[in-house]
Amino acid sequence: MTPPTLHDIGSTFDAWARHPRRRAALEATGLLDTASEERFDSLTRLACRVFDVPVALITLLDGQRLWFKSACGTPLREIAAKSSFCAHTLAREALVVIEDASQDPRFADSPSVSDTPFLRFYAGVPIQGPDEMILGTFCLLDERPRTLSDCERETLEGLARLTSLEITRGVETAASHAIAEGHQRYITRPPFVPELLRHSERRHVAGDTPRVVLSELLDELLDHVKGEYGLVGSLEPGDEGRGTLKILGLSSVETSPAIQEFFLQSGRRLCLERLDTVSRGRLSRRAVQFLDEADLTALNQAKLPPGHPRLDNVLIVPFLRNDRRNGLLLIANLASLPEASLIDELAPLQALGGRLVRAHQDAQQRASLQARLEEFRATLDATLDLILIVDEQTRRLSYCNQGALAQLGYPETELLALPASTLNEAFDVDSMNNRLASLAGDVTSLRLDTTLRCRDGSGLPVQAVVQRISHHATGRTHYIIVARDLRETLKAQREIDWITHHDALTHQLNRSGFLRAVEQRAAAADDTQRLHMVVIFGIDRFRRINDAHGTQQGDAILKELAQQLNQLLRKYPQALLGRLGSDEFAVSLRVNNTRKALELADRWRQAVENHRFNAIDGLQLTVSAGVATDWQDDIPAEELLRRANAALVRAKRSGRNRFRQYLTGMLDEASRDDVIERRLAGAFKRGDFLLNFQPQWNLDDLSRPCGAEVLLRWHDADLGVVGPDVFIPILEDSGLMVEVGRWIVERSLDTVAAERERLADGFFVSINVSAVQLMDDRNFADFVAEALRVRRLPTSVLELEVTETALIQSPLRVEQQLDALHQQSIAIALDDFGTGFSSLSHLKQFPFDTVKIDKSFIAGLPSSTEDRAIVESLLTLCRGFGRRVCAEGIETPAQLDFLRRLQCTRAQGYLLGRPGPELVIESPFQ
């Protein structure tokens, strides 16, 4: 219900303020427009101190104005009544608290809020005069927003009651004036107490708050017996019998400092054991009793609570419930001894007080339970879990928390009208009963993973715990369902699974993911394509590319290669692509036959060869491939990978940039290669390497060799002679090639220096330089120049041979090295021209002095028309670029004669001289 605004109140406020009976009651007090009085000012000062507020007022309503009988903290004496906060207090006849007036639409536009003094907080309680007529308010004001606790509210109400008592006390002619000084007389009381008890009983039955009834009953009795102060409280049990007296109300007719301090104890608990000790057990009696001055003389009043006012006599009324004490009413310092009839009249108060205390305790317990229930509900609503309660009898939901409403998308009324089985058949009452019945022992709960149907038709995956609870008092049974949304969990699991089975760099399957996918595909294989092929691609000399360009560029190459392979596989939806590690990628695909498998492997290899990589400008890399096949699906995926890897090793050992199919025995060869690699690691230190020299000849003068090609050989004590096609790739991959390459240069030049006097003029040695040496040995040109200088050899004695593979893998780095060598006047030859990556741009871009025609073109001469055409074209081309030409692999006189007729510059081959450990000085033939 919307609270009334100032405008609403104003419509009836004037008539109420001018009511003749209320006006008469106000005039009877004699307080209006009188000077300040300490009995009232002490209460407002106390309020400012207790509540830490700047302003406290005692106001009286006089027609259109609100006059201040006492004002602590403001010089004002009156304001307009209708526009004041107090108008709401008077209209409601109850406590009003406004925590922040600027945020309250009823007061935000009020002048005292929007302008000086910018009030924010207000709390006010009505005060009464004779005949319980409301005369004004006791109120607090503050410029700061704030709250008021339950204990503070009770204290403010108590101050208002004290103010009302002071007003009534000033109106009545106190009976105490008739008491002669130094003499006591018995006061004959009219039958006031029975009527008071009946009135209090009626108020209790009518539903008034028990605490208010008890407090006002205390006020009335205090005034009736002319006591100085009193209290009423409930007994609460404690540990080990140490109960406490919880004070429910305090009252006083004095406002002395001692009384004020005692008044501040409202809401405090007093130790019954201590009070009983002070009263020597009198407090624990169940009868109404009066302890006079003589009785109290024997008490040790030093043991009273700190700040307790003087105690001359005391009237004690224990409250009883089922013949057990549950509360007390005490009135101290009566003006005279009570008559015996008063004690009898107060006896019914024991039962009434017991009922009121019990009602208060029940109300407190209900409030506590309600608060706990609200906290519990708030906790349930705050949790992200879905909480549902199903009534077994109605089979419908009887409760749902906010989490369930938010995640299922239902309004509360609609969801509670649904059978539980609407969300999932597993929540049908019979289904839950059957599931629980199938569990062993007395288990009353079960856990299940299921999917709930949301209002929009979507599914919500949850993990639910179902608990069956029977209420014996009501005979009803409920199922408590606590379900946790698994969407984030499942998403996280999918992410973890993806991370576990995928490569973070290329986003392709990793080794474990590839193997798992291959095994899964094998279970659902298509019988029409029975052959399962696995291809492993490995980048040739990738470590060198990584070292030359950095790991960041290397990673970019891997990502681009993965994209290129993925693009090639798009026309094969069943194909699997994975990165096994480092530079190796695997492809799994089912095809019709072996020929198709090998055709695809080579096609994919060539596609990579022809691809221009954007990661490094001008880079054209090559890959080697190993192929393994399985007809019967009886070879495990791991074994297929081993076989494909063995074939890959064979492809790399065979010169790279090619594919090989797995054949029986390759795994043994792979094992042998491992042995070779281990032996090779110590070959250089053991001195197992040696050099051979194959002579080269000028074709216009075969009398003496013009030079010799240097060839590296390895003889191992355990393995015997190992071919360079086997150990050179291992040297390059292991990082030993730079050291071995320098050794070859130094050893070759030492041989030339030793034989120089016997060698023909212009004799040179031609040394093969590995692509690895050009990429990794950054000071190679300076090293060569220094090696020539220390041996006092001219640069003309040395020629360095470079293959086109080196030009492709790192063109910028190789170009820098060749330019540096060229500037040292060292001759450079392009080896194996006409094969692999032959490009006319290489002849133009790089400073080659000599071009060597590969022996594969010489072998068919002179009978092969194609070979003749190729060789003639190459010779013409090289002459056009101003390059000398050397033909390799001359094995027959016909080949020699053909090349001489074509005016080829140089030649070498078995016909002219086989490689040997010594330099050939003279021609073995004339």
Side-chain angles (χ1 to χ4, degrees):
M1 180 177 179
T2 305
T5 64
L6 283 172
H7 180 270
D8 298 331
I9 290 175
S11 60
T12 59
F13 186 78
D14 291 343
W16 181 83
R18 293 193 300 268
H19 194 279
R21 185 166 174 265
R22 202 200 65 78
R23 290 282 302 174
L26 178 62
E27 292 172 358
T29 64
L31 296 176
L32 205 59
D33 295 322
T34 59
S36 300
E37 296 182 54
E38 179 60 23
R39 58 180 179 146
F40 295 115
D41 291 345
S42 63
L43 293 176
T44 54
R45 288 197 303 270
L46 175 63
C48 288
R49 181 163 62 92
V50 170
F51 295 99
D52 187 25
V53 293
V55 177
L57 304 172
I58 296 176
T59 70
L60 297 174
L61 178 62
D62 179 30
Q64 299 297 321
R65 68 169 181 157
L66 201 64
W67 182 74
F68 303 160
K69 173 58 184 172
S70 176
C72 179
T74 178
L76 295 177
R77 298 302 295 175
E78 64 180 58
I79 60 173
K82 189 160 57 174
S83 62
S84 68
F85 294 109
C86 292
H88 284 262
T89 303
L90 296 170
R92 292 187 58 181
E93 300 185 7
L95 169 67
V96 170
V97 177
I98 303 168
E99 297 179 350
D100 187 352
S102 66
Q103 303 301 316
D104 192 321
R106 297 174 295 170
F107 309 104
D109 296 331
S110 175
S112 60
V113 176
S114 59
D115 202 348
T116 307
F118 300 105
L119 295 178
R120 292 295 179 267
F121 170 78
Y122 169 85
V125 182
I127 58 176
Q128 300 173 346
D131 298 328
E132 299 182 355
M133 178 60 67
I134 294 177
L135 302 180
T137 65
F138 193 109
C139 64
L140 312 173
L141 297 169
D142 199 341
E143 299 93 343
R144 302 168 299 167
R146 56 172 295 173
T147 59
L148 210 61
S149 68
D150 291 341
C151 184
E152 289 175 325
R153 291 169 186 253
E154 293 170 2
T155 302
L156 180 59
E157 290 172 340
L159 285 170
R161 288 200 305 274
L162 286 177
T163 303
S164 298
L165 288 173
E166 283 295 332
I167 293 174
T168 302
R169 180 171 174 268
V171 174
E172 297 176 347
T173 54
S176 57
H177 292 304
I179 302 175
E181 185 176 357
H183 296 280
Q184 289 187 352
R185 63 183 180 81
Y186 290 94
I187 302 173
T188 302
R189 308 284 180 187
F192 173 79
V193 173
E195 180 58 30
L196 175 62
L197 298 184
R198 285 193 295 271
H199 177 69
S200 298
E201 181 76 45
R202 286 194 298 270
R203 293 189 60 190
H204 172 52
V205 172
D208 286 3
T209 305
R211 183 169 188 164
V212 173
V213 175
L214 286 170
S215 296
E216 294 185 357
L217 189 149
L218 171 65
D219 292 342
E220 295 290 346
L221 283 177
L222 183 70
D223 180 66
H224 181 65
V225 301
K226 306 305 177 188
E228 185 177 358
Y229 62 90
L231 64 84
V232 62
S234 63
L235 301 181
E236 298 184 353
D239 296 335
E240 300 178 359
R242 298 179 180 178
T244 58
L245 177 66
K246 179 182 179 181
I247 298 177
L248 302 180
L250 288 165
S251 188
S252 171
V253 296
E254 297 285 343
T255 56
S256 65
I259 295 297
Q260 291 180 16
E261 290 297 330
F262 185 59
F263 183 82
L264 295 181
Q265 304 302 318
S266 177
R268 173 177 169 180
R269 287 175 169 81
L270 304 178
C271 178
L272 284 176
E273 184 180 24
R274 184 175 184 181
L275 293 176
D276 214 33
T277 301
V278 171
S279 66
R280 298 185 182 276
R282 296 285 295 273
L283 194 66
S284 61
R285 296 179 182 178
R286 299 182 180 177
V288 178
Q289 51 187 320
F290 176 76
L291 305 183
D292 59 15
E293 188 173 358
D295 295 323
L296 296 177
T297 302
L299 301 182
N300 185 1
Q301 297 201 37
K303 293 185 177 181
L304 289 172
H308 199 288
R310 65 184 182 84
L311 188 62
D312 298 330
N313 58 59
V314 60
L315 176 65
I316 303 173
V317 182
F319 296 157
L320 302 178
R321 179 69 176 172
N322 296 329
D323 204 32
R324 296 173 62 89
R325 292 187 311 152
N326 67 346
L328 287 175
L329 182 144
L330 298 93
I331 297 178
N333 301 341
L334 277 68
S336 61
L337 290 175
E339 295 179 351
S341 61
L342 177 63
I343 302 299
D344 294 336
E345 289 175 355
L346 289 174
L349 176 57
Q350 293 184 272
L352 173 60
R355 292 194 299 275
L356 289 170
V357 168
R358 177 57 185 273
H360 170 75
Q361 292 173 339
D362 289 346
Q364 289 293 101
Q365 186 177 15
R366 285 194 300 273
S368 176
L369 289 175
Q370 184 64 29
R372 291 172 62 187
L373 179 61
E374 292 301 322
E375 290 177 3
F376 184 64
R377 283 181 175 271
T379 302
L380 295 183
D381 285 338
T383 184
L384 298 178
D385 291 341
L386 293 79
I387 302 177
L388 307 166
I389 300 179
V390 181
D391 189 315
E392 185 179 61
Q393 183 176 355
T394 65
R395 298 174 176 265
R396 296 184 182 276
L397 295 169
S398 60
Y399 170 79
C400 59
N401 70 337
Q402 288 298 320
L405 297 175
Q407 296 186 62
L408 294 175
Y410 286 95
E412 183 176 7
T413 54
E414 183 178 347
L415 183 58
L416 294 182
L418 294 176
S421 58
T422 302
L423 301 178
N424 190 284
E425 289 76 6
F427 292 162
D428 178 72
V429 170
D430 294 334
S431 176
M432 289 188 287
N433 263 331
N434 294 336
R435 284 173 176 263
L436 289 169
S438 65
L439 301 177
D442 298 328
V443 179
T444 59
S445 66
L446 62 91
R447 185 185 301 270
L448 54 92
D449 291 341
T450 187
T451 300
L452 302 183
R453 281 188 289 271
C454 299
R455 190 171 187 264
D456 61 4
S458 61
L460 177 67
V462 297
Q463 182 181 75
V465 176
V466 181
Q467 179 85 27
R468 187 174 189 267
I469 297 179
S470 297
H471 305 278
H472 298 293
T474 62
R476 302 182 74 89
T477 298
H478 291 88
Y479 294 89
I480 312 297
I481 302 171
V482 180
R484 176 155 297 177
D485 182 359
L486 293 182
R487 284 176 296 188
E488 290 299 323
T489 302
L490 294 176
K491 179 181 177 183
Q493 289 177 350
R494 288 192 296 270
E495 291 176 353
I496 292 172
D497 183 73
W498 192 94
I499 292 170
T500 303
H501 295 98
H502 286 77
D503 173 51
L505 177 65
T506 64
H507 296 175
Q508 302 299 326
L509 293 169
N510 59 15
R511 185 182 187 87
S512 64
F514 183 81
L515 289 171
R516 184 179 71 163
V518 168
E519 292 171 352
Q520 291 172 347
R521 291 286 177 87
D526 184 358
D527 292 339
T528 61
Q529 294 182 318
R530 298 177 53 195
L531 181 66
H532 180 201
M533 64 175 287
V534 171
V535 186
I536 297 181
F537 295 98
I539 301 176
D540 295 331
R541 295 189 176 91
F542 177 70
R543 190 175 68 83
R544 303 306 166 196
I545 298 175
N546 230 5
D547 294 343
H549 300 283
T551 55
Q552 185 174 0
Q553 293 284 34
D555 288 346
I557 290 172
L558 290 172
K559 291 167 66 176
E560 190 170 348
L561 177 57
Q563 294 169 0
Q564 172 69 6
L565 291 174
N566 201 44
Q567 181 72 24
L568 293 172
L569 296 175
R570 282 191 175 179
K571 60 177 64 176
Y572 307 101
Q574 299 303 316
L576 293 173
L577 173 64
R579 182 188 175 201
L580 302 183
S582 185
D583 62 311
E584 292 185 354
F585 291 83
V587 174
S588 169
L589 181 63
R590 290 188 175 272
V591 294
N592 294 325
N593 50 59
T594 303
R595 179 180 176 182
K596 181 67 174 178
L598 300 181
E599 179 186 321
L600 286 175
D602 196 41
R603 185 190 305 167
W604 295 334
R605 179 197 63 78
Q606 292 180 31
V608 174
E609 176 184 342
N610 296 328
H611 178 72
R612 297 293 178 178
F613 283 79
N614 298 320
I616 300 176
D617 186 32
L619 176 68
Q620 184 179 10
L621 59 78
T622 63
V623 294
S624 299
V627 183
T629 57
D630 176 22
W631 278 103
Q632 303 298 328
D633 281 330
D634 55 356
I635 301 176
E638 184 70 49
E639 177 63 17
L640 271 178
L641 280 185
R642 287 183 66 239
R643 294 184 179 187
N645 188 69
L648 172 65
V649 172
R650 169 65 71 86
K652 292 202 172 190
R653 295 286 188 265
S654 301
R656 300 185 176 87
N657 190 25
R658 62 202 65 205
F659 78 93
R660 288 291 182 267
Q661 181 186 6
Y662 173 79
L663 300 174
T664 303
M666 280 189 178
L667 287 175
D668 295 334
E669 290 183 10
S671 300
R672 182 174 179 272
D673 288 343
D674 289 339
V675 174
I676 291 174
E677 189 169 347
R678 289 195 298 272
R679 294 292 298 169
L680 189 60
F684 187 67
K685 293 182 179 179
R686 293 193 301 268
D688 291 347
F689 292 123
L690 53 93
L691 298 181
N692 279 355
F693 302 91
Q694 184 176 27
Q696 291 187 8
W697 309 79
N698 280 322
L699 292 185
D700 56 359
D701 181 9
L702 297 178
S703 61
R704 301 183 73 184
C706 64
E709 182 177 2
V710 180
L711 304 173
L712 181 66
R713 296 292 184 260
W714 176 35
H715 183 274
D716 183 79
D718 295 336
L719 301 175
V721 178
V722 182
D725 60 326
V726 174
F727 71 82
I728 291 294
I730 298 177
L731 281 177
E732 292 177 334
D733 291 341
S734 65
L736 294 172
M737 196 66 241
V738 172
E739 185 179 6
V740 174
R742 288 195 171 198
W743 175 82
I744 295 172
V745 172
E746 291 179 329
R747 189 65 177 269
S748 300
L749 294 180
D750 287 341
T751 302
V752 171
E755 298 288 346
R756 189 175 183 191
E757 296 299 328
R758 301 172 57 209
L759 298 174
D761 293 339
F763 188 91
F764 64 91
V765 286
S766 185
I767 301 174
N768 289 281
V769 179
S770 168
V772 172
Q773 185 120 28
L774 292 174
M775 288 187 288
D776 291 1
D777 194 346
R778 297 184 179 277
N779 300 316
F780 182 64
D782 294 336
F783 163 76
V784 171
E786 180 65 14
L788 289 168
R789 188 189 64 78
V790 298
R791 293 166 177 81
R792 298 181 180 180
L793 295 174
T795 57
S796 61
V797 304
L798 180 62
E799 180 183 73
L800 299 179
E801 296 185 18
V802 179
T803 64
E804 286 191 289
T805 302
L807 307 181
I808 295 171
Q809 288 189 338
S810 185
L812 294 179
R813 177 61 183 157
V814 171
E815 184 177 12
Q816 292 173 356
Q817 290 277 38
L818 296 183
D819 285 341
L821 291 167
H822 185 68
Q823 291 173 9
Q824 300 282 1
S825 299
I826 296 170
I828 302 171
L830 176 60
D831 195 15
D832 299 335
F833 186 70
T835 64
F837 299 95
S838 294
S839 173
L840 296 181
S841 64
H842 293 161
L843 294 177
K844 180 179 179 181
Q845 178 180 358
F846 298 100
F848 295 120
D849 300 284
T850 302
V851 176
K852 299 185 75 173
I853 300 176
D854 187 72
K855 62 184 179 180
S856 62
F857 299 112
I858 306 300
L861 296 178
S863 58
S864 172
T865 304
E866 292 82 359
D867 287 344
R868 285 202 312 271
I870 292 174
V871 171
E872 289 174 357
S873 299
L874 290 177
L875 287 169
T876 302
L877 181 66
C878 290
R879 289 193 195 100
F881 277 98
R883 308 289 194 260
R884 295 188 295 270
V885 178
C886 177
E888 297 180 297
I890 307 299
E891 297 183 358
T892 67
Q895 293 171 346
L896 180 61
D897 290 340
F898 180 80
L899 292 170
R900 294 179 75 174
R901 287 197 305 271
L902 293 178
Q903 298 179 354
C904 180
T905 311
R906 296 192 335 235
Q908 69 183 78
Y910 283 1
L911 175 67
L912 301 175
R914 290 178 176 271
E918 303 293 338
L919 287 174
V920 176
I921 306 299
E922 299 292 340
S923 173
F925 51 88
Q926 294 299 325

